[in-house]
Amino acid sequence: MTRSGRRPGNSGTREAILDAARVRFAEVGFDKASIRSIATAASVDPALVHHYFGTKHELFAAALKLPVDPRDILSHFATVPVEDLGETIIRTVVTLWDSEIGVPTIAAFRTLLASDDPALARTFLLDIVLAAIRPRVDSPPGTGAKRAALAASQLAGLLVTRKILRIDPIASMPVEELAATVGPTLQRYFTGELPLTD
Amino acid sequence: MTRSGRRPGNSGTREAILDAARVRFAEVGFDKASIRSIATAASVDPALVHHYFGTKHELFAAALKLPVDPRDILSHFATVPVEDLGETIIRTVVTLWDSEIGVPTIAAFRTLLASDDPALARTFLLDIVLAAIRPRVDSPPGTGAKRAALAASQLAGLLVTRKILRIDPIASMPVEELAATVGPTLQRYFTGELPLTD
């Protein structure tokens, strides 16, 4: 299909689908938001949603204005030994933030932080990012959600200080030094003994 | 002086002073921004700046829309033994965030994060918050800036996940559990052996 074959109304339709997707993902989370319900809210056929955006994961990335499907990054962590997760995650995400696609990624994060309703950002973190990590660090059973959320707190703050506020020496610290310095924090959250009260 | 004695133009003057203060603090940092230069930029007498806002620290808090002078909080840490700083800081700042004045504090932080220019937020963190911590953790000499900035990265992320994105179980974790869980992260950054490459 050539671009010239598209009708003038297409960009409006795409935006209507993305708006409906943002509302739906924020309201019910990623898993429960069906393409069908998003299509209905946007008054289009579900096939058109797939045609424009591909899979539900790709639609979600587009709704958040992420330059990549976050699962492409998260899939890197699936085969990493759990005792290496801390350093590997720091190395991978900092390299991503510092790359060309880091700019739109960080812009998307700032938009989510500034928004009045944190539900869409919460869906992204809980249903996509932490969902990929949680089962890997769920030892003893039931602690995975807490361990993953604690790691997210350090990662979010690293992004804020290095890429948004640009606080030195964190802003200019080499990736390998960050991995060696902040990696052990994530590792302790993942596999260390935590004072778990519930 | 009674409120009825103020001229109608006063709120405009106050705003002009605050605008000039934000620009000046962002441009040259807290220490180099003089009340005189801020008064000149706002086309008012320096005495009027003091009359409206008190000290330079109080003016800075007003410019950032902070509900308290941050030094009132930071002064709590001056006498805490360095080996207790991690847990004490977590306990103090989380209690503050969860209190009534936490709401405007977090709103101020979000505004700074969303702003196009991070210089004002950087001034606040570097010249006020980290300046109070840095000399206490400067061992071996020269590592204080790095140690304080690393601690700031964990604190900023805790604020983002607990109070802005409200990610559970961090959002609902009791203060004491957070102090016991995240306090050791700060403590390692403050006094632990770090892979310091420069």
Side-chain angles (χ1 to χ4, degrees), chain A residues 110 113-115 118 121-122 125 146 149-150 153-154 157 161 164-167 169-170 177 180-181 184-185 188-189 195 197, chain B residues 110 113-115 118 121-122 125 146 149-150 153-154 157 161 164-166 169-170 177 180-181 184-185 188-189 195 197:
Chain A
R110 287 181 63 177
L113 280 185
S115 122
R122 201 187 298 129
L125 263 177
K146 188 172 287 189
L150 286 164
S153 81
Q154 173 63 86
T161 45
I164 298 182
L165 303 184
R166 299 199 290 276
I167 302 287
I170 288 186
E177 184 179 354
T181 308
T185 295
R188 175 173 160 269
Y189 292 151
T197 59
Chain B
R110 288 182 63 178
L113 280 185
S115 122
R122 202 187 296 129
L125 262 178
K146 188 172 288 190
L150 286 165
S153 81
Q154 172 64 84
T161 44
I164 299 182
L165 301 184
R166 300 199 289 277
I170 287 187
E177 184 179 355
T181 308
T185 296
R188 174 172 161 268
Y189 292 151
T197 59

Side-chain angles (χ1 to χ4, degrees), chain B residues 73-96 133 136 155 175-176 178-180 182-184 186-187 190:
Chain B
I73 313 299
L74 292 164
S75 66
H76 288 291
F77 307 139
T79 55
V80 173
V82 71
E83 65 270 20
D84 297 337
L85 267 183
E87 285 205 19
T88 306
I89 289 178
I90 296 288
R91 196 176 290 119
T92 307
V93 301
V94 173
T95 302
L96 171 77
I133 303 293
R136 300 226 46 210
L155 275 176
V175 172
E176 280 308 313
L178 271 180
V182 182
L186 262 60
Q187 196 60 46
F190 286 149

Side-chain angles (χ1 to χ4, degrees), chain A residues 102-119:
Chain A
V103 177
T105 302
I106 288 149
F109 184 75
R110 287 181 63 177
T111 303
L112 289 175
L113 280 185
S115 122
D116 282 335
D117 183 356

